[in-house]
Amino acid sequence: MENILASLCGTSPEDPLPVWVRGSIGHCFNQLTLNVIPHVILAVVSACFLGTPRSGSSVPCRLSWGWRIATSFVLTGLFLADTIPASISQQELGPMYLEVLANGTAALTWLVHGFALLMLCRSIHGFTRGPAALALLTLLPLPSFIITLVWYCQTGTAWSPAHPGASSRFAILCLQLASLLAYVVSYLFPTAGRQDFLSINRSWQQDQPISEPGIPVPDQQRVAEDGESWLSRFFYIWMNPLMKRGYQQKLNHPQDVYVLPRQLQAARVCDRFYSCWQKKAALHQAEEETVSLTSPIIAAGDGSSDAPDSPHHAQEAVRLLSVLHAAFGLRFYTLGLLKLAGSLLDFSGPLLLNLLVNFMESRQEPLSHGVLYALGLFAGSFLGALLRNQFSYEMNKMTLMVRASVISAIYRKALHVSSTSLARFTVGEIVNFMSTDTSRLVNFCLSFHELWSLPVQLAITLYLLYQQVGVAFLGGVALALLLVPINKIIANRITMNSEEMLKHKDTRVKLMTEFLSGIRVIKFYAWEKHFSTRINACRAKELQKSRAVSYLDAVCVYMWAALPVIISITIFITYVLLGHQLTATKVFTALALVGMLILPLNSFPWVLNAILEAKVSLDRIQQFFELMDQDLEAYYALDSPSDTATAMEMQCAAFSWVPLEEESTRQPSSTGTLQLHIENLSVRKGMLLGVVGKVGSGKSSLLAAITGELIKQGGRVYVCDLEQGFGLATQEPWIQFTTVRENILFGREYDARLYKEVLEACALSEDLNILPAGDQTEVGENGVTLSGGQKARIALARAIYQEKELYLLDDPLAAVDADVANHIMQKCILGVLKHKTRVLCTHRTELLEKADALLLMDNGKIIKTGTPADILPLVEAFPKFKVTDKGNKDKAPNEQGQEEAIETEAEESTQNNNLIHKEEEKKEGAVAFHVYKAYWLAMGSCLAISILFSLFLMQASRNISDWWLSYWISSISQTANTSVMACSASLPSPELLLFSTAGLVSPIQDLDNTPAPFNGSVDVNFYLIVYGSIAGANSLFTIVRAFLFAYGALHAAAVIHNRLLQRVLKATVTFFDSTPTGRILNRFSSDLYCVDDSLPFILNIFLANIYGLLGMLVIMTYGLPWIGLVLLPLAVVYFFIQHYYRCTSRELKRLCSVTLSPIYTHFSETLSGLSSIRAMRATKRFELENQLHLEQNQRCLFASNTVMAWLDIRLQMIGVAVVTAIAGIAIIQHQKQLGNPGLVGLALSYALSVTNLLSGLIASFTHTEIMMVSVERTEEYTTDIPMEPQDKLVQVSADWPSQGLVEFQQVVLAYRAGLPNALDGVSFTVYPGEKLGIVGRTGSGKSTLFLALFHMVELKSGRILLDGVDSQLVGLEELRSRLAIIPQDPFLFSGSIRENLDPQGKWTDAELREVLEQCHLWDAVTQMGGLDSELGERGKSLSVGQRQLVCLARALLTQAKVLCIDEATASVDQKTDQLLQQTIRQRFADKTVLTIAHRARGCCSAGSLGRPGHICVQWVLWLAGWQLQIQWWW
């Protein structure tokens, strides 16, 4: 090095770079240090601004920018010109090569700087002076210019004719100084005036949406990262505005976060993924006939031209992993190079530290060596930090791409998969694919790179160990290898238990979904305990598997924690047995190396575990992707029939709900597996076809067959204008969680004329007048704030507004009263739709007289086709119904256009507020202390203290072992006779790893001087035995702590779930009506997963970091007190950075949680309305909506990840600065003969270790706080949600109410304070055995009577007496279990028919059979396989009518004296209805019956109104505007 400098500068090798020469600064020192280095710095920083994006504004550069750009290029020319006289007049001023190097560097610098300014002036910086730091850096070479100028003046060669070369160079120097001065002046010159700023703001505002007050417009929708300079990218300067906003607590909405960079935007990522999928699918289809993906059938309507693939066979062949590999593989593997470079640079620190210590010990090496080592240390740690940080940041971006692709693909698959295939998975399972399984798949990306980098680190460390102890290291390695099969067994058990745990979690989430969807009915039936028991049983199984996983993890942790000691002692014994002399040097160095060896070995099980989990999740998702897609091309015949007037045609067609290959394995054919056989069916354009038949005859299946939802087993199906889709109104109306208007428009443009016509036709105008905000009223999830009739009519209005040619209407008249049904028939089906083709399934046969043709169906076949005159007599049970209907209109003229209402609490609550669902609340600021306290208490105080104490013992024993080693060293130093150092500067040397950055197992071993190999009489065995004993105690404390922590975390998880579940079970109905299911489910899935799994994991690391830091500080201050001078300022800086970071990180994590719920809610909503979405060809729009929800969430996730990278790079840079400073101080001490090599080594190694540990501490603390948000969210539900009163003030007898006397006395009820009264002074008495009919307009309070009777809502005043006892004083469970109700919406849960009828197991099989026979269900049940046959999710094996019959059977089972019926037979045919009414009349002859009805036959059992002599309903309550009127029936 000295020789190179000497030849460049023309000096002697002894002093190659003299600072002071003949009374002035040395020319070589001036050129290299004050000229070349400042220019290099300026060049590097300028280069960072070359990628700055243009502002998009066409405003030309200001004059000041032009001057600066011009002077930069002039300076480039001047420095190039200066090389000519310098090379001609050699040695006049300095050596030629030195001058060429200096001038060449400067010319290149100013050229780069000029281009950087050109980029900046065209960016948003063009309206300002530009970055001040860049301008200041241009002044760095100024001292060199001035020193050279002074030298010219002193030597008199400035204008000397004798030295023309020097004179010309002096002239060029003066021009350079003048140019630099012009540059500075032009920088100080003002740039933009007021008018310019106004135009800037205008241009910004045109591009940006309106921002929130106090937020600058440019930042509002700023795109993250794109077009930023290298400097900004490396140090995340572009994040600073967001960090500031987070610190000021202005991050309140997802819109406040930057837009995703272009390469991460969901649309682009998904397009890339799907194009790769299509290529893969095309490869597999190469041998078969190519299926056009741009078929008009698919592409025109539902956008499935982009679908991953259509045919089933290709679907099976395409593997998700191979598609991800094709889409992102190249980028993913390229990132591995960053990882490799970073890992190799990790080893540079120890090597250079070793060289530096050797340099200080030798006292003979030249100073330049020391400077080079210090610079190398700086460069290595700086580059290592940058590479590691960039790798982590880029990997996070990669994981976001994978996540977006997988979630989007799952959603798209769900949209295109056939309904029959989809039935294999429950909603809970598919939502888990999106959450848990996708997260595990994403984690694989990180684990994969660890998988190959850990062995590389291992190999290097083993080689260095071999250098140290020879073949003896094989003893330790052999032991480590022996543990591999044991670890493999444990890993297998962990995987097995994880799979089981996931299954139980799926079941629990499915149960919770069912529970929440039927919460109102569950409360009516008082079944909370039954569901609680079922959910807790699932949770117990889940926790049992979780316990197994945790304890196996604890064993893993212990094995790998104890491994360093065992390996070390094994190596030492082997070394001694081989006949070598064991010295302290060997012991310390081997321990240090084993410490480095353990790091990769320790990580390996975790990495393997993550990869195995990812494999399990990948297989689960793959199974879902292999489901059969809807293939409309194969399903429908594309050739039109000869008769062009045909709208729809079926010939010899057979359909099934189950694929052929599955039918053989199924039970005998049931309703769920109904076979549909259509020999010949042709529907002409414009005709009205009525479909009639008893419950379960296949009417809905026929419509499903037309829309392509069934599996076609043969025959021909033709539909005209197929790509246009169908107008479908399903039997169970599907309502979206949005406004009434958005529900009806369903993505179409608003057409005022058509919209008004549709509202009128569907009799919705009056209903919208009642709603608080008209059609802008937001309806709840699944239309919870609407009555059944309103839901049916909105679904019908949606279908009509779509203006399709073919309408399929599945009993839209079931839930409305006779007048509204007539209105819809006349104004809608025979009015607005008169020119359309209509297929109408209904049980209201009296309305079908004007149909063009009728089909009579039974058991999946068309029994007869003909005119209404032919068919109606076969099915009609009420031939004179229209007369009674007229009578009804006479009796209650004001009821026309009204309907029954299941007025839920929330319906009433919307009186003042159209948005019934509040945005999910987002807590602000730090996680409150009470949240930590709640977790502490959930774990148990004694247990928590035991865990902390075991951690203390573990850390103390580790630190004592370090102290023992230091004592060993000092005792050897005292007895040693020589201070000759054994180290040499050759690589690798024995001590090179004593100051490793990897966080050694025994860091104190680098204390003081490293002694020479020493053959004294020190008792090495004694020291080793003591060390081994302390290490043994340490491993014992480690296993105690691991098991205690695992047990404590599981206990806390169990307690938190129990408290949450019990609180939700006891919540009021109002809470469920105003909270979306997705939001509650999020608590029970994602948040509980955090509490079960992620929180304990990260909390464990955080506590270990705290104790590790405290232990390290104690030992450092004990060994080197002055280190505190460095640590104090460092601690202050750390504190401010972490505080600044945590404020933003916390807000972003909360935004991530809040934006996650809509993804799941929208997905659940899509799955429940799949048939409607597909029939109306809206799949593309729903896919885009999903993409928007995903993009919102990804924005927050990306910002959250980047904030962590922002923190990491700053912490690393502080560490780099400290290390470099200590190295610099060490060299100065060395020059002054003050240095102590041991202390310098200690200071450097600990500076590195403490920086890393503090960085880990902040990261783990922030992660812990982030995970604590999940505890906070569960705690919020555990403490804040309103509860039903649990007290029981009156004890009642076992047979109460024995008579059935119901008295309402001045009942006043409002759903919430501030809302109008839902019941206003209602009083009436129903005597035992009387039958009461309740009628009234929508919102009049009919269902509210039932809510009040069942004590679902608190009364404001008044009393409700049952047999003279105030029902409000009776315990809720007692009250509800003594009353019977048949709800309007039939609620069934997954389980057997027996469980659904009798969850508590009170009745015998004979009794159950009897009620099923009375409800005409026994035949259907027998076909399904008896009482123990499974019903599927929400009872989907049964038709809607059959589900209502099951609910009726439940009521028949109860011995209750009071029965409430809420329009129980709306979905059954009239014949069955007639039989049921008869059953009700017989079975409840002596019971008090309250019936809400809007059909005359609902009030008057079995057609008694047709025969005035038989009065069944003694009297009717007519509720109108909450005022009570009584009308007698004659």
Side-chain angles (χ1 to χ4, degrees), residues 350-544:
L351 292 167
L352 288 161
L353 276 171
N354 181 60
L355 289 171
L356 188 61
V357 174
N358 284 345
F359 158 77
M360 295 186 70
E361 286 168 346
S362 70
R363 310 270 184 201
Q364 292 166 0
E365 280 190 73
L367 175 65
S368 57
H369 282 194
V371 173
L372 276 176
Y373 298 149
L375 284 173
L377 199 61
F378 163 74
S381 52
F382 179 79
L383 276 174
L386 269 185
L387 288 174
R388 281 192 302 274
N389 180 269
Q390 280 298 307
F391 169 75
S392 163
Y393 173 64
E394 290 296 329
M395 275 310 298
N396 277 327
K397 282 162 69 175
M398 173 61 66
T399 57
L400 285 178
M401 287 182 183
V402 172
R403 180 175 180 266
S405 303
V406 175
I407 287 180
S408 182
I410 288 170
Y411 187 85
R412 175 174 281 202
K413 179 68 189 176
L415 278 178
H416 295 102
V417 73
S418 69
S419 302
T420 48
S421 303
L422 195 63
R424 291 187 213 170
F425 294 97
T426 62
V427 174
E429 280 177 316
I430 302 172
V431 170
N432 262 349
F433 293 151
M434 263 198 184
S435 54
T436 313
D437 292 310
T438 305
S439 300
R440 287 177 162 193
L441 207 55
V442 158
N443 289 340
F444 167 76
C445 298
L446 301 167
S447 303
F448 174 80
H449 283 301
E450 292 297 325
L451 191 65
W452 65 259
S453 71
L454 291 176
V456 170
Q457 292 173 36
L458 206 60
I460 295 172
T461 314
L462 284 174
Y463 172 73
L464 297 172
L465 196 58
Y466 169 71
Q467 293 272 313
Q468 191 60 41
V469 294
V471 293
F473 88 97
L474 290 172
V477 173
L479 185 71
L481 290 175
L482 275 176
L483 288 174
V484 170
I486 298 172
N487 200 55
K488 180 77 176 71
I489 292 165
I490 292 174
N492 286 343
R493 296 296 298 274
I494 287 175
T495 310
M496 195 171 69
N497 282 298
S498 289
E499 281 185 41
E500 292 291 318
M501 186 185 77
L502 270 178
K503 282 181 188 169
H504 295 311
K505 180 183 163 67
D506 283 345
T507 313
R508 180 174 59 80
V509 172
K510 185 185 85 172
L511 258 177
M512 275 310 298
T513 312
E514 286 187 349
F515 168 73
L516 294 171
S517 64
I519 184 65
R520 184 181 290 268
V521 181
I522 289 168
K523 285 192 174 295
F524 274 136
Y525 289 144
W527 280 355
E528 291 99 330
K529 278 190 180 172
H530 170 70
F531 268 86
S532 173
T533 309
R534 286 187 67 184
I535 293 166
N536 281 327
C538 277
R539 177 67 175 165
K541 288 177 188 170
E542 185 187 348
L543 282 179
Q544 185 188 358

Side-chain angles (χ1 to χ4, degrees), residues 1498-1521:
C1499 273
C1500 303
S1501 300
S1504 58
L1505 280 182
R1507 296 185 297 280
H1510 297 76
I1511 300 173
C1512 250
V1513 174
Q1514 283 89 350
W1515 51 291
V1516 171
L1517 271 185
W1518 173 29
L1519 292 163

